[in-house]
């Protein structure tokens, strides 16, 4: 019956409320409220409702924390930190009313931003319009908005200069970076964009590497973004020469490849696929489906082949051929070149001395003084077919030798496998009586060398830079003896300090904060003992060719 009256009084009582603020992660057993502070009289309270995270001591009237309070788990949808409460309801045995205590859980910055991936890749065709926006994935921070990501920073190397673009989440309209080639934009819909503020050109640079950092003023997290520039067909083919001259004899066999024409296109892949066509012979236009009786041009390889015997011709000793090269673009204007075929009379039955050379290489200079041979070809590779009388002499022998075929024909062959990095040219001298022919063999490059460092260890003394209030950029320089080699750099160490980044061939040490002030804690971390980093230099055209350098960061004092 007594219990019945208690519940009846509870039902008739009014409810008093008090709101108390506490921080998440407050230690267990911390007293967060003293009920005795509400009255000068000692009051007995009956606990009606409570959270398992709170403990009420009915003897002392003290309320304390019994379990860990993590606001981000307790109220995951409370981004504004406005509705995360723990409540405890007590019955006041003195005033006969209900006391409701509402503990508002305040957020603390105890979580760092997290990107969904350590690396992102995007692709964009060249010749884009400036001011193009690409939406980026934002970093997630489960803290309240005020303790969430406040700053995004974009770091990249452009024209050998480190550029940093930042945007404040709370004040995005105050950022003025429109003079930068790339910058970040945070719009009114809380979306993050990379703005490409220039027209990209794949032939100038086909890849850009960015570091995006999310900062909540306590923690910072970075991710890598790679922008690949895709090709569009914006270049026409070009021949290496506007005029080619080929000297042949009347007895040149049918089926002989007279020359291999080569045009080049700065585009890539399908946009650089070139088709060759024979347009005219001696001013006579050749239709696309017409086959002439003298010469045939392979539309895919550019090889010009002799189809008929020339000794049947009466007085014809020179032909003028116009050849076109097109990349297949609809209505494209082809590149043009002229090929002169000089037919020389066979003189081997007369008393005159003659040295007639037909080169096997596809690349021969206009005046026939230079022939290009690729390195790493096998020993006894064919260099030239030579017609002369038996008195032909080879005056120089290093790198090649002469092999007699018939009474009046010879072949010039290599006596070794050429290595351009060891030797790049050989001189050939042929003599027959008073006639002498000289030409040079030039060894062309193939990708057969790996990048090399000047040393296996690079020592960097921090004391040279610790007084500087700016980012320190160290340029890495591994060398590749191949021609037109492209070297890339990547991290090999399993751990990497947050204040050190690798962008392209730039090793960047950044111990500065906003306003270019030195972050002494950062310097202390970097300089407190030795730091070892492994960086690999690799051939961008063949990543199997690579070498690693160890970088030692230390203080001399």
């Amino acid at each position: 019956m007594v219990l019945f009256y208690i519940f009846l009084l509870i039902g008739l009582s009014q409810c008093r409320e008090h709101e108390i603020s506490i921080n998440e992660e407050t230690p267990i057993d911390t007293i967060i409220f003293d009920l005795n502070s509400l009255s000068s009289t000692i009051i007995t309270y009956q606990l009606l409702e409570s959270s398992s995270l709170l403990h009420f001591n009915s003897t002392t009237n003290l309320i304390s924390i019994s379990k860990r309070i993590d606001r981000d788990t307790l109220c995951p949808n409370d981004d504004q930190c406005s509705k995360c409460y723990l409540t405890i309801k007590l019955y006041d045995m003195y005033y006969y009313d209900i006391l409701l205590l509402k503990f508002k859980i305040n957020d603390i910055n105890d979580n760092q931003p997290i990107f969904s991936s350590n690396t992102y890749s995007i692709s964009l065709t060249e010749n884009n319009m400036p001011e193009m926006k690409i939406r980026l994935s934002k970093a997630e921070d489960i803290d309240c908005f005020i303790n969430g990501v406040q700053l995004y920073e974009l770091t990249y190397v452009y024209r050998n200069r480190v550029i940093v673009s930042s945007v404040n989440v709370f004040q995005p309209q105050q950022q003025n970076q429109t003079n930068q080639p790339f910058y970040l934009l945070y719009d009114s819909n809380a979306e993050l964009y990379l703005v490409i503020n220039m027209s990209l050109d794949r032939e100038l640079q086909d890849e850009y590497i960015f570091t995006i950092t999310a900062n909540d003023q306590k923690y910072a997290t970075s991710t890598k973004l790679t922008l690949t520039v895709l090709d569009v067909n914006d270049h026409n083919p070009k021949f290496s020469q506007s005029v080619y001259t080929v000297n042949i004899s009347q007895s040149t066999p049918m089926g002989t490849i007279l020359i291999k024409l080569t045009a080049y296109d700065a585009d890539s892949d399908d946009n650089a696929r070139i088709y060759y066509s024979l347009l005219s012979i001696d001013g006579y236009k050749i239709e696309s489906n017409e086959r002439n009786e003298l010469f045939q041009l392979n539309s895919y390889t550019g090889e010009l082949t002799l189809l008929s015997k020339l000794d049947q011709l009466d007085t014809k000793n020179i032909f003028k051929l116009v050849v076109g090269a097109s990349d297949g673009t609809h209505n494209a204007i082809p590149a043009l070149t002229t090929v002169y075929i000089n037919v020389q009379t066979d003189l081997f039955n007369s008393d005159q001395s003659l040295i007639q050379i037909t080169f096997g290489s596809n690349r021969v200079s206009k005046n026939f003084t230079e022939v290009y041979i690729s390195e790493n070809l096998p020993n006894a590779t064919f260099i030239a077919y030579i017609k002369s009388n038996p008195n032909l002499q080879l005056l120089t022998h290093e790198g090649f030798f002469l092999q007699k075929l018939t009474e009046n024909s010879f072949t010039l062959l290599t006596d070794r496998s050429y290595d351009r990095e060891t030797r790049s040219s050989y001189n050939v001298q042929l003599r027959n009586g008073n006639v002498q022919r000289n030409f040079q063999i030039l060894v062309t490059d193939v990708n057969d060398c790996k990048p090399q460092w000047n040393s296996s260890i690079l020592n960097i003394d921090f004391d040279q830079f610790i007084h500087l209030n700016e980012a320190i950029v160290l340029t890495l320089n591994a060398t590749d003896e191949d021609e037109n080699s492209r070297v890339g750099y990547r991290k090999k160490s399993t751990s990497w300090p947050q204040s050190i980044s690798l962008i392209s061939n730039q090793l960047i040490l950044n111990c500065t904060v906003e306003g270019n002030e030195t972050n002494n804690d950062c310097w202390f971390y970097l300089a407190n003992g030795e730091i070892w980093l492994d960086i690999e230099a690799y051939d961008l055209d063949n990543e199997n060719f690579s070498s690693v350098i160890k970088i030692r960061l230390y203080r001399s004092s």
Side-chain angles (χ1 to χ4, degrees), residues 241 245 357 359-373 383 424-428 437-444:
Q241 297 176 205
T245 301
I357 302 175
F359 292 105
S361 172
N362 298 326
R363 294 181 59 195
V364 182
S365 65
K366 184 177 180 180
N367 55 6
F368 295 93
T369 59
E370 296 176 342
V371 57
Y372 298 87
I373 304 293
I383 298 176
S424 60
S425 65
Y426 297 84
N427 293 317
V428 180
R437 289 287 302 274
N438 300 330
F439 63 90
Q440 191 176 38
I441 300 173
L442 299 180
V443 184
T444 62

Side-chain angles (χ1 to χ4, degrees), residues 288-321:
S288 58
N289 57 352
E290 183 179 355
R291 179 183 176 90
N292 70 87
E293 298 180 354
L294 283 178
F295 306 103
Q296 180 181 17
L297 181 66
N298 189 309
S299 60
Y300 298 101
T301 65
E303 294 176 337
L304 183 67
T305 304
L306 181 66
L307 296 180
S308 301
K309 291 184 177 181
L310 298 176
D311 55 7
Q312 299 175 357
L313 301 176
D314 294 331
T315 58
K316 186 73 173 178
N317 57 11
I318 186 168
F319 296 88
K320 178 183 178 182
L321 283 64

Side-chain angles (χ1 to χ4, degrees), residues 373-381 414 416-423 426 442-449 482 545:
I373 304 293
S374 176
E375 67 174 330
N376 295 344
L377 292 176
N379 186 19
T381 293
T414 63
R416 67 195 65 181
S417 179
Y418 291 158
D419 181 3
R420 186 198 64 84
E421 287 75 39
T422 302
R423 183 171 178 178
Y426 297 84
L442 299 180
V443 184
T444 62
D445 188 56
V446 298
N447 192 0
D448 60 349
C449 294
D482 290 320
F545 293 157

Side-chain angles (χ1 to χ4, degrees), residues 1-14 44-48 89-98:
M1 183 63 70
V2 174
L3 187 60
F4 170 77
Y5 283 115
I6 291 175
F7 283 111
L8 180 61
L9 290 172
I10 292 174
L12 297 175
S13 299
Q14 295 184 351
T44 300
Y45 293 92
Q46 177 69 40
L47 181 64
L48 301 178
K89 188 180 290 186
L90 304 121
Y91 181 67
D92 187 330
M93 303 293 287
Y94 184 82
Y95 292 104
Y96 301 107
D97 63 0
I98 296 174

Side-chain angles (χ1 to χ4, degrees), residues 30-80:
T30 299
I31 296 173
I32 57 176
F33 193 72
D34 183 359
L35 290 170
N36 297 317
S37 63
L38 298 178
S39 173
S40 59
T41 305
I42 297 177
I43 299 175
T44 300
Y45 293 92
Q46 177 69 40
L47 181 64
L48 301 178
E49 296 177 10
S50 180
S51 167
S52 63
L53 304 179
L54 302 177
H55 173 71
F56 168 60
N57 188 324
S58 59
T59 302
T60 62
N61 285 342
L62 298 178
I63 299 174
S64 60
I65 294 176
S66 60
K67 297 180 181 178
R68 174 176 175 259
I69 298 176
D70 181 7
R71 189 210 64 86
D72 312 304
T73 303
L74 187 65
C75 306
N77 298 319
D78 183 26
D79 294 338
Q80 302 299 324

